[in-house]
Amino acid sequence: GAVVSQHPSRVICKSGTSVKIECRSLDFQATTMFWYRQFPKQSLMLMATSNEGSKATYEQGVEKDKFLINHASLTLSTLTVTSAHPEDSSFYICSAREMTSGLSSYEQYFGPGTRLTVT
Amino acid sequence: GDSVTQMEGPVTLSEEAFLTINCTYTATGYPSLFWYVQYPGEGLQLLLKATKADDKGSNKGFEATYRKETTSFHLEKGSVQVSDSAVYFCALLGQGGSEKLVFGKGTKLTVNP
């Protein structure tokens, strides 16, 4: 099946620094990638949708200047948390949608997540 | 807008017990329905899906039937194992190829030996 990887799996950074998280589709091309944030014991909150070669579409309430998303190729999207603060500590999960026809093209494959801790 | 409501947990069962996690949805038209599972410290894995009314999704002993009349997609397993301990999310994808998955809040299942 389709595999999505994320790097790093865990990161600890100091307040005020920036952190980049990578999301890669390993064995398929992804026209669209999604970034989610998950708070402890809660569901996933969609942060933004990124399409290769175009600007990301952010959900209401998500600061686009703080959470920079770049979808540079059909296999890579990055999320950069700029000037991170402790309240940004969370579990960030990406997913990718395969570039094929049919209903399966709408299925999202999820990465393993990145645990960000800001001290 | 579209929404998913699933039973609140946590759910604690003994091994070999029967499992039901309720899920109902609100959506226009005919959404696709999914169950995802999240093991501790990991991302989500697709467990099963159904794309039209009366479809039954099944995988690893889990089943769920798309019931249009009751707008439900309840997850069931006849005999749970300790390894099934995880958080289960019900989700829908709107009709017409909407990109956004709408998730329920998740139900944590713990299976004791």
Side-chain angles (χ1 to χ4, degrees):
Chain A
V3 178
V4 175
S5 70
Q6 279 184 243
H7 178 79
S9 57
R10 291 178 178 272
V11 57
I12 301 173
C13 71
K14 292 188 177 181
S15 188
T17 62
S18 295
V19 174
K20 180 183 286 188
I21 302 170
E22 292 185 349
C23 177
R24 293 182 184 271
S25 56
L26 297 186
D27 50 2
F28 67 98
Q29 293 185 320
T31 50
T32 306
M33 289 185 171
F34 304 85
W35 287 96
Y36 296 85
R37 183 172 179 177
Q38 185 179 29
F39 292 97
K41 300 181 181 181
Q42 294 190 27
S43 189
L44 281 71
M45 180 191 79
L46 179 64
M47 299 175 66
T49 302
S50 76
N51 292 292
E52 186 265 338
S54 63
K55 290 184 179 180
T57 302
Y58 290 81
E59 295 299 301
Q60 193 171 11
V62 177
E63 299 176 60
K64 62 181 180 181
D65 293 332
K66 181 168 187 61
F67 298 100
L68 300 179
I69 292 171
N70 182 27
H71 194 158
S73 75
L74 285 171
T75 60
L76 173 64
S77 176
T78 60
L79 167 68
T80 301
V81 183
T82 62
S83 186
H85 290 285
E87 57 265 30
D88 298 324
S89 298
S90 192
F91 194 52
Y92 293 89
I93 302 175
C94 74
S95 70
R97 194 176 78 179
E98 191 170 5
M99 184 179 176
T100 60
S101 60
L103 181 63
S104 63
S105 66
Y106 300 116
E107 184 168 336
Q108 293 182 28
Y109 301 97
F110 286 80
T114 296
R115 173 75 60 194
L116 170 63
T117 303
V118 185
T119 60
Chain B
D2 296 347
S3 66
V4 174
T5 303
Q6 62 181 103
M7 65 184 284
E8 293 188 18
V11 174
T12 302
L13 296 173
S14 298
E15 208 166 20
E16 299 184 1
F18 184 85
L19 168 71
T20 299
I21 301 178
N22 290 338
C23 172
T24 57
Y25 67 90
T26 301
T28 54
Y30 296 87
S32 296
L33 302 174
F34 306 83
W35 276 100
Y36 286 88
V37 58
Q38 184 179 32
Y39 297 102
E42 299 183 11
L44 272 66
Q45 299 176 26
L46 178 64
L47 181 60
L48 53 84
K49 66 181 180 183
T51 59
K52 60 183 187 296
D54 299 326
D55 266 3
K56 177 185 282 188
S58 61
N59 185 27
K60 299 181 180 180
F62 290 90
E63 292 183 340
T65 301
Y66 189 143
R67 301 287 187 199
K68 181 67 176 174
E69 63 276 14
T70 54
T71 62
S72 65
F73 193 55
H74 305 321
L75 181 68
E76 296 182 337
K77 186 174 185 181
S79 176
V80 294
Q81 305 301 314
V82 173
S83 57
D84 294 326
S85 298
V87 180
Y88 293 81
F89 292 93
C90 185
L92 71 81
L93 193 64
Q95 186 180 13
S98 170
E99 293 186 321
K100 300 179 185 179
L101 275 169
V102 177
F103 286 92
K105 292 188 175 180
T107 302
K108 183 177 181 180
L109 169 67
T110 301
V111 180
N112 295 316

